[in-house]
Amino acid sequence: MSIESDLKKDGITVVGKLDTLSINTISRDIAEKLCKTFPNQNFIFQNLFIVLSRIPMYIADIPEGFAEATYFYKNSSMYFKQGLKLDELEKFAVHEFIHYLQEIKDKKGNLVRLGLCDFGDLKICGMALNEGAVQYMASKAINSEEEIVKYYGISLPTNSPSYYPILCNLIAQMAYITGEEALYDSTFYGSTLFKDKFANLCGVNSLLKVESNMDKIMEAEEKAIKFNNKLMSDKCEGMKAQKVAKKIEECKSKIYNLYFETQKLIFTSYFNNQFNKILTTADIDEYRLRLYNYKNYIGISENYSEFNEFYINKMMDLDNKYESIVNNTSLTVVSDSKISKFFRKIKSILSTTVELSK
């Protein structure tokens, strides 16, 4: 099958080549952004600029609802939606340039790994995990500010409000646990560092489930877009329109449930595992701070209370753990710190809030 046929399967029709001046401008600006945003990746600007400027780039007709730019690994080329201005091309190109930098092919030119995604003989694993990571990093490169957005009944903080907001939010939660440098290293170079750290801190089963759920979320979002495009067409009327609208709602409901299931799995597996490692009152204070700060990453809905309930229960468990530590003469006793007293007040406030909401 030809490249053109493969592209048309995704609804992409090539209009023409992007001019050389635009290619060089985009490559230079993005090389600068990547070097500045990810200094620990040891990029060399001139080398990076040369590599990026040699990527074949085209203008194309791309279906509504899909990304304004796409990297096609089969011919190592990039396609931009027709009608975009230069600054818009740069914005959307960052994501695709990262894809180009992260791909690993075998001697026959077959793609075997794309950052956090493995292309096995039987199935592809981690596609959504990788897409979320790439967009999370692309948003950082263009200095996209974090916003609170609402999708599918979920209000959540994300640095990518328009593209993969839910996946980027879950990636941010995972990176809070592993550290961002592990995420960057694995996304750019396909190392196992990020997954290994997450599995070590949360458990292998948790990693596999999170990875699977994110794939299901991305699949449901893509289906919702296709159904929405069908609903907006002139031929979709009457009972047919009702059926399509119902399918869209089913996709939204699936995304909603998968998101909260995944979020809960991430924070419960991490904080439950870390709780078992507490040995000193200093460990307790650090744990409290980590758990308290996690609230800045979570998504919520109208009746959502799981994180608050988990937080309150863990505060009670920590009080018991504190008492057992200070009453054990074989351990060094550390005096009750200001931060410990502060979090006890927070626990009291949250307990009152939950009671009032019932």
Side-chain angles (χ1 to χ4, degrees), residues 9-20:
K9 283 176 61 180
D10 294 328
I12 299 173
T13 303
V14 178
V15 174
K17 286 187 176 182
L18 187 64
D19 64 276
T20 302

Side-chain angles (χ1 to χ4, degrees), residues 185-201:
D185 182 85
S186 293
T187 304
F188 274 123
Y189 303 115
S191 75
T192 62
L193 181 61
F194 176 70
K195 289 185 179 182
D196 287 347
K197 289 193 72 172
F198 188 85
N200 182 55
L201 293 166

Side-chain angles (χ1 to χ4, degrees), residues 10-255:
D10 294 328
I12 299 173
T13 303
V14 178
V15 174
K17 286 187 176 182
L18 187 64
D19 64 276
T20 302
L21 179 59
S22 295
I23 290 175
N24 288 337
T25 301
I26 292 170
S27 301
R28 182 186 65 250
D29 290 349
I30 293 178
E32 289 178 349
K33 285 180 172 64
L34 293 180
C35 289
K36 181 179 179 181
T37 308
F38 309 105
N40 293 335
Q41 300 306 312
N42 299 315
F43 291 130
I44 299 173
F45 168 76
Q46 191 61 31
N47 293 346
L48 190 57
F49 165 70
I50 291 172
V51 168
L52 298 181
S53 64
R54 289 177 177 172
I55 302 173
M57 302 182 199
Y58 300 90
I59 301 298
D61 284 327
I62 298 177
E64 199 65 37
F66 287 84
E68 276 74 3
T70 185
Y71 174 70
F72 199 62
Y73 75 90
K74 288 186 178 180
N75 63 347
S76 300
S77 298
M78 200 168 298
Y79 299 87
F80 296 102
K81 190 171 186 178
Q82 189 174 23
L84 295 178
K85 296 179 181 179
L86 185 60
D87 60 336
E88 293 175 313
L89 291 176
E90 292 180 11
K91 175 183 176 182
F92 298 122
V94 180
H95 183 108
E96 308 309 323
F97 276 18
I98 294 176
H99 274 323
Y100 175 81
L101 294 172
Q102 66 176 184
E103 70 174 10
I104 299 174
K105 295 181 178 180
D106 61 21
K107 294 180 180 179
K108 295 180 179 179
N110 299 313
L111 189 63
V112 295
R113 179 180 281 273
L114 196 66
L116 298 168
C117 179
D118 293 312
F119 288 76
D121 294 332
L122 300 177
K123 64 177 182 177
I124 300 173
C125 299
M127 178 65 79
L129 187 68
N130 188 62
E131 285 296 332
V134 170
Q135 184 56 37
Y136 177 79
M137 292 162 59
S139 294
K140 282 188 171 290
I142 62 174
N143 292 317
S144 177
E145 293 185 4
E146 185 173 272
E147 298 179 30
I148 304 295
V149 297
K150 189 171 184 178
Y151 285 96
Y152 315 113
I154 309 165
S155 295
L156 50 82
T158 179
N159 69 349
S160 181
S162 301
Y163 302 95
Y164 295 127
I166 290 178
L167 295 182
C168 287
N169 169 267
L170 292 173
I171 285 292
Q173 294 189 41
M174 296 175 76
Y176 176 76
I177 291 170
T178 65
E180 289 192 332
E181 289 302 325
L183 175 68
Y184 300 159
D185 182 85
S186 293
T187 304
F188 274 123
Y189 303 115
S191 75
T192 62
L193 181 61
F194 176 70
K195 289 185 179 182
D196 287 347
K197 289 193 72 172
F198 188 85
N200 182 55
L201 293 166
C202 301
V204 174
N205 290 337
S206 294
L207 170 63
L208 295 176
K209 185 64 175 177
V210 168
E211 188 176 71
S212 174
N213 280 2
M214 290 177 72
D215 281 337
K216 291 175 182 177
I217 288 172
M218 188 168 74
E219 180 183 358
E221 286 193 295
E222 289 175 351
K223 284 184 178 179
I225 290 171
K226 290 179 180 179
F227 285 135
N228 188 67
N229 287 343
K230 184 180 291 186
L231 187 64
M232 298 301 291
S233 69
D234 296 335
K235 297 179 180 180
C236 191
E237 299 175 344
M239 289 296 295
K240 184 177 180 181
Q242 291 181 24
K243 289 181 180 179
V244 173
K246 183 180 179 181
K247 288 183 181 295
I248 293 173
E249 290 306 311
E250 289 172 355
C251 288
K252 290 181 178 180
S253 178
K254 185 174 183 178
I255 293 166

Side-chain angles (χ1 to χ4, degrees), residues 314-330:
K314 274 291 174 277
M315 290 301 104
M316 295 171 64
D317 291 341
L318 286 174
D319 280 346
N320 293 331
K321 175 79 78 171
Y322 180 86
E323 292 300 324
S324 68
I325 290 175
V326 297
N327 290 325
N328 187 343
T329 56
S330 65

